[in-house]
Amino acid sequence: MIDIILFGDRHRDNTQAPTGSVFLIEFNHLKDEDTLKLLSLSIHHLLREYPNHLVARFSHTSIAILLPNHTEQLASGLAPRICATLHNYFTQSPDDTAFNIGIVCFTYMETVSEILSQAEEALHQARHIHQRCWFILEKGLHYPESHGWHNWSKHLALCIREQQIEFELTPFYGVKRQLIFNNLCAFTDGICGNTLGDEQLCLLAEKSSLELPFLRLKLSAAHNLLHTIEGSLSITTHAKVIASPFKLNQLLITLYQYPTNIRQRLIFEIRESEVTRLLDKIKLGCFALHALGCKLCINRAGRQVEGMQYLSELSVDYLKLDQHMLINIEGESRQLKALESIRLMLQGTSTQLLAQHIKSQAHWEQLQLVGIEGAPFNLNSALD
């Protein structure tokens, strides 16, 4: 059951004031942070037609969505679409509420505290409503056989078994426009026809204990591609595979069957948050991968500079800096100081600093001055 409360604009008489909407979505009994990340990604994908939207954590069990220049009518129309998306992740029962939504429309004359107070009040009232939302009954958007993590896990397992995962390449280029490597990104159709990207699939595979078969499928695709293209391939990898002695052994057996010139062009890419959490358990695995000729890339790096002691304990070939690290690197900014600290840590190593995202040519030129050596393909499109 879904409960929704929509508060109208409290300044309707002021027709000149621009309006916006805030959605507060609370997930009952949600304890898995990866689930919240995956849900946030799905909502972010749903709102791709609203370029200025913001999806952010509000509390440990809720997320907030900000939609500027968004009227009450648009908000009430968007609510069923968000609910339909969320339905695909939860198993519903007739007498329980998996999530509640509080929506408030506001004018820019109101303060942030007033807006959030209204949204929290709407969410509080939504918790106490016990009736099914109209769109479930009238629009047929309730999928009793499709939603729930169990069914999503079965869907991913089927896609892996039947090799229904597709791949695309995202090139990373260096300062002199030479190809550094390609990111091998997986994608496939979801249960209800939506597209699941590489990050969503990785989270789903991890939650479903399908990390190893998913990685094997990626390696098989990489092996085939490396016979036809030049350069190296970077593959997003779960640290759990490298941290588990059994899974690591299976991975090494698979890699050992590949020719040396193929292994030397494989880059295993791991999230920094996983590296810091499982550092002691992945040291041996990272050493073994290097021994076979493979390389290591840490992505989303720099979120917590004080937690980057792994740079002194692991041999890292590439460091993809989180985009928030590269937004403001002028003067005495916190980001610039953090970047300087990272460069000091890397002195005497061969680690290359890469940008996860570049906004413009001017931004790229600025990043080169502070030691960034590579960026994704969209930069080169901008330069052309």
Side-chain angles (χ1 to χ4, degrees):
M1 186 190 305
I2 306 108
D3 301 326
I4 300 177
I5 284 290
L6 172 65
F7 274 18
D9 188 351
R10 299 189 176 190
H11 296 269
R12 292 173 190 250
D13 294 336
N14 190 342
T15 57
Q16 301 302 316
T19 61
S21 302
V22 169
F23 289 66
L24 277 189
I25 306 177
E26 175 188 64
F27 304 99
N28 297 348
H29 316 300
L30 184 60
K31 299 179 181 179
D32 187 343
E33 186 167 343
D34 280 346
T35 303
L36 195 60
K37 289 179 183 177
L38 189 55
L39 292 170
S40 299
L41 282 169
S42 298
I43 293 172
H44 181 73
H45 180 73
L46 174 68
L47 299 175
R48 61 191 181 279
E49 60 194 77
Y50 303 98
N52 296 321
H53 78 270
L54 175 67
V55 180
R57 286 284 293 274
F58 187 74
S59 72
H60 68 288
T61 59
S62 61
I63 58 177
I65 305 171
L66 172 64
L67 291 165
N69 304 318
H70 201 256
T71 65
E72 179 178 342
Q73 182 179 5
L74 290 172
S76 60
L78 185 59
R81 294 174 60 192
I82 292 178
C83 289
T85 297
L86 297 178
H87 250 302
N88 296 308
Y89 293 94
F90 290 99
T91 301
Q92 306 294 315
S93 60
D95 57 354
D96 190 35
T97 303
F99 58 90
N100 304 302
I101 299 183
I103 308 170
V104 60
C105 297
F106 62 89
T107 68
Y108 292 165
M109 297 174 62
E110 297 173 274
T111 65
V112 172
S113 59
E114 289 175 335
I115 295 167
L116 291 178
S117 176
Q118 294 173 33
E120 287 186 301
E121 184 179 351
L123 181 61
H124 175 73
Q125 292 198 21
R127 296 189 190 109
H128 295 86
I129 293 181
H130 301 290
Q131 59 183 11
R132 284 193 172 276
C133 188
W134 62 269
F135 75 89
I136 298 177
L137 301 176
E138 296 183 12
K139 300 296 183 181
L141 296 179
H142 189 211
Y143 299 90
E145 301 301 325
S146 299
H147 54 253
W149 279 113
H150 178 65
N151 291 289
W152 277 98
S153 298
K154 289 195 298 183
H155 177 70
L156 180 59
L158 177 64
C159 289
I160 294 173
R161 186 171 64 250
E162 301 296 329
Q163 298 187 8
Q164 295 176 357
I165 306 289
E166 298 181 64
F167 298 92
E168 62 184 8
L169 299 179
T170 303
F172 266 70
Y173 290 97
V175 173
K176 297 181 180 179
R177 305 291 296 275
Q178 81 279 14
L179 180 67
I180 299 178
F181 59 74
N182 285 287
N183 266 122
L184 184 67
C185 301
F187 65 96
T188 190
D189 290 336
I191 290 177
C192 301
N194 56 317
T195 300
L196 297 178
D198 196 68
E199 189 171 0
Q200 292 170 303
L201 285 171
C202 285
L203 287 170
L204 184 56
E206 184 176 7
K207 185 173 177 64
S208 308
S209 299
L210 294 169
E211 311 100 314
L212 185 57
F214 184 48
L215 179 56
R216 277 176 166 166
L217 185 61
K218 280 188 169 184
L219 283 172
S220 176
H223 178 258
N224 293 333
L225 278 169
L226 287 172
H227 284 292
T228 61
I229 65 172
E230 297 181 356
S232 302
L233 280 181
S234 176
I235 302 173
T236 304
T237 311
H238 296 277
K240 286 183 178 179
V241 175
I242 302 174
S244 164
F246 172 77
K247 292 178 180 178
L248 174 63
N249 185 53
Q250 297 298 308
L251 173 61
L252 295 178
I253 290 174
T254 301
L255 288 172
Y256 194 73
Q257 298 172 19
Y258 295 165
T260 302
N261 67 325
I262 295 293
R263 296 200 301 263
Q264 291 175 342
R265 296 161 62 197
L266 284 173
I267 304 168
F268 288 88
E269 189 168 320
I270 311 174
R271 292 201 307 264
E272 183 185 66
S273 57
E274 290 186 322
V275 172
T276 54
R277 179 165 50 90
L278 299 170
L279 180 58
D280 291 336
K281 295 182 178 180
I282 67 172
K283 288 180 185 178
L284 179 61
C286 292
F287 177 81
L289 290 175
H290 271 117
L292 287 178
C294 304
K295 295 182 176 64
L296 180 64
C297 175
I298 308 298
N299 67 20
R300 298 196 174 185
R303 291 194 169 191
Q304 292 184 329
V305 176
E306 63 275 9
M308 297 182 71
Q309 71 274 9
Y310 62 83
L311 290 174
S312 62
E313 302 185 48
L314 297 177
S315 178
V316 179
D317 299 280
Y318 303 100
L319 202 63
K320 275 188 186 176
L321 293 176
D322 187 80
Q323 60 181 349
H324 300 294
M325 277 279 299
L326 307 174
I327 292 176
N328 177 23
I329 52 172
E330 298 178 348
E332 297 295 319
S333 68
R334 179 177 59 84
Q335 288 92 337
L336 183 58
K337 291 178 180 178
L339 188 55
E340 290 172 350
S341 298
I342 293 173
R343 290 175 65 189
L344 284 174
M345 294 181 201
L346 295 177
Q347 279 187 350
T349 72
S350 59
T351 304
Q352 286 187 260
L353 281 177
L354 308 178
Q356 191 108 21
H357 175 72
I358 297 292
K359 295 188 295 184
S360 64
Q361 179 178 350
H363 188 210
W364 169 233
E365 292 173 353
Q366 186 183 33
L367 291 177
Q368 291 179 63
L369 296 176
V370 294
I372 304 301
E373 301 175 69
F377 77 104
N378 59 336
L379 161 69
N380 294 272
S381 299
L383 292 176
D384 292 337

